[in-house]
Amino acid sequence: MENKIVPSIKNVLIPVTRDDHSFKAVKFAARLLAPLSPKITQKVFLIHVLAPSFLEKMASNVDIRFRNILESPIFRNIIQQHIEKEVKPFLRQFTQIFKENSFEGEIQEIITQGEPGKEIVNFAEKNNIQSIIMGRRRRSHAAETFLGSCSHIVINRAKKQFVYIIGQHVREEGCPINKILVAVDGSVPSLKALKEAAALATSFPDGVVKIAVMTVIDPIYLNKDSEEEKEAHEIINAARNLLLELGIKETNIDTFLEFGDPGRTIAKIADEEDYPLIMMGRTGKTGLKEIVLGSVSTRVIHKVQKATVGLAPM
């Protein structure tokens, strides 16, 4: 009997600013979540954080000491003008993208101040957020209101949520996650990633989403007495059987074993085979002989070009 599971996307948080990275994140989220609303996805929160670097820049234009300026009526008025003229328009634009995709859930626009990463994590914890979808920035600029290091903070501190780091390519036609590449290593986080991939796939009509399960063995762990390859095949077979139990048809499952540097190999296959979504654990197995290391998720995010990377909770 099939075990119907529901993806962790009931309440979704999308950190945004006025740039192309946020636009891609919103477009991906709208195309993914709209068909699943309001039955599965009920609420989407668009959050914009005014960072200290931005506030300092604004304060430098006012002749008051910075430690006093945040509470001054003049500065509050300047910030409010910025919000009305600059922030609210792009938040409305992003909300409109959801409406154009026929999203039927609730959309809330949130504007707050503070360190972006910390504010996002705190909001997620206080509002029962299950997944965070955010753009990927390869570099940071001190003057930006949304720092490039924000995604790093969220990945490391949002321990209860799935975190999706959007790639450079978002599918324009059909399901935005028509193929999911799941990297498994036998760890609990990778098992969570596998189950979430199955939950997403079964939320769409049969055959719309296919799942490929892979594991990677680093050659440095191989020798004539090595059990790594045998263990890897056992992990893949167990993953395949679990997908079948969760309602994924055998014709929609692919499995394979690769040899090489795990981070580079996962990213390379995802880009070359046009997988729009990679699902994996944020941390891997403990011990020297782990197949997919916890740090692999970070390397995949930095190496992959087109695919979105979905990281399971710790």
Side-chain angles (χ1 to χ4, degrees):
M1 183 177 179
E2 294 181 2
N3 299 316
K4 180 65 175 179
I5 55 176
V6 178
S8 299
I9 50 175
K10 179 180 179 180
N11 297 324
V12 178
L13 179 63
I14 310 175
V16 295
T17 189
R18 190 176 58 182
D19 64 10
D20 187 55
H21 305 289
S22 294
F23 175 77
K24 288 179 180 178
V26 170
K27 184 168 70 170
F28 173 88
R31 300 198 66 247
L32 173 65
L33 304 176
L36 308 180
S37 66
K39 184 176 180 180
I40 296 177
T41 302
Q42 298 178 3
K43 286 185 180 181
V44 167
F45 298 87
L46 300 172
I47 184 170
H48 176 74
V49 184
L50 297 172
S53 57
F54 167 77
L55 298 177
E56 285 184 28
K57 182 179 179 180
M58 297 290 287
S60 66
N61 297 320
V62 182
D63 189 20
I64 306 176
R65 289 183 180 273
F66 183 70
R67 64 174 178 269
N68 299 322
I69 197 171
L70 294 180
E71 298 302 321
S72 73
I74 295 176
F75 189 67
R76 287 201 301 268
N77 184 54
I78 292 173
I79 292 298
Q80 190 58 41
Q81 288 181 25
H82 170 76
I83 290 173
E84 294 295 333
K85 293 181 180 180
E86 304 293 337
V87 179
K88 287 187 177 181
F90 73 72
L91 286 177
R92 287 195 293 267
Q93 178 187 6
F94 290 156
T95 295
Q96 185 61 29
I97 291 174
F98 274 90
K99 293 180 179 179
E100 290 172 355
N101 282 272
S102 301
F103 180 77
E104 297 181 21
E106 179 183 348
I107 304 172
Q108 291 189 21
E109 300 171 0
I110 309 296
I111 302 172
T112 186
Q113 299 178 14
E115 293 289 349
K118 293 179 181 178
E119 291 297 322
I120 292 165
V121 173
N122 289 339
F123 186 92
E125 291 178 350
K126 293 177 181 178
N127 291 275
N128 193 30
I129 299 298
Q130 295 177 308
S131 289
I132 301 172
I133 299 175
M134 58 194 305
R136 175 174 57 190
R137 292 158 181 80
R138 294 188 179 276
R139 64 176 65 183
S140 61
H141 299 278
E144 288 183 344
T145 60
F146 196 106
L147 303 182
S149 61
C150 176
S151 58
H152 176 76
I153 294 173
V154 172
I155 289 170
N156 284 280
R157 298 189 182 183
K159 298 182 179 181
K160 298 179 181 179
Q161 291 80 24
F162 283 88
V163 177
Y164 293 84
I165 307 298
I166 303 303
Q168 294 182 13
H169 177 70
V170 176
R171 296 188 76 235
E172 297 289 345
E173 301 293 335
C175 177
I177 55 166
N178 65 318
K179 297 194 302 182
I180 304 176
L181 179 64
V182 186
V184 295
D185 66 353
S187 66
V188 172
S190 75
L191 180 62
K192 291 180 180 179
L194 182 68
K195 289 181 176 179
E196 186 69 3
L200 287 168
T202 54
S203 297
F204 289 90
D206 179 49
V208 171
V209 181
K210 298 182 182 297
I211 297 177
V213 179
M214 70 173 294
T215 193
V216 185
I217 298 179
D218 194 321
I220 65 172
Y221 296 135
L222 291 177
N223 56 59
K224 64 179 181 179
D225 299 319
S226 175
E227 294 291 321
E228 297 294 345
E229 188 170 354
K230 178 182 177 182
E231 181 184 1
H233 282 293
E234 291 174 350
I235 290 171
I236 289 176
N237 289 333
R240 175 183 170 278
N241 291 334
L242 178 59
L243 289 177
L244 291 172
E245 292 176 9
L246 294 174
I248 307 298
K249 291 184 178 180
E250 190 164 5
T251 53
N252 295 328
I253 301 173
D254 191 14
T255 61
F256 51 95
L257 170 65
E258 295 289 333
F259 296 86
D261 174 79
R264 291 179 181 273
T265 303
I266 294 168
K268 182 173 182 289
I269 289 176
D271 281 335
E272 290 182 350
E273 301 297 327
D274 291 324
Y275 284 96
L277 176 61
I278 302 168
M279 292 296 296
M280 60 191 305
R282 240 176 290 188
T283 58
K285 296 170 64 179
T286 58
L288 178 63
K289 292 187 176 182
E290 60 189 2
I291 297 176
V292 178
L293 306 177
S295 61
V296 168
S297 59
T298 301
R299 295 210 299 277
V300 170
I301 291 171
H302 286 290
K303 295 294 182 183
V304 74
Q305 295 296 316
K306 297 184 290 184
T308 290
V309 181
L311 303 175
M314 297 181 182

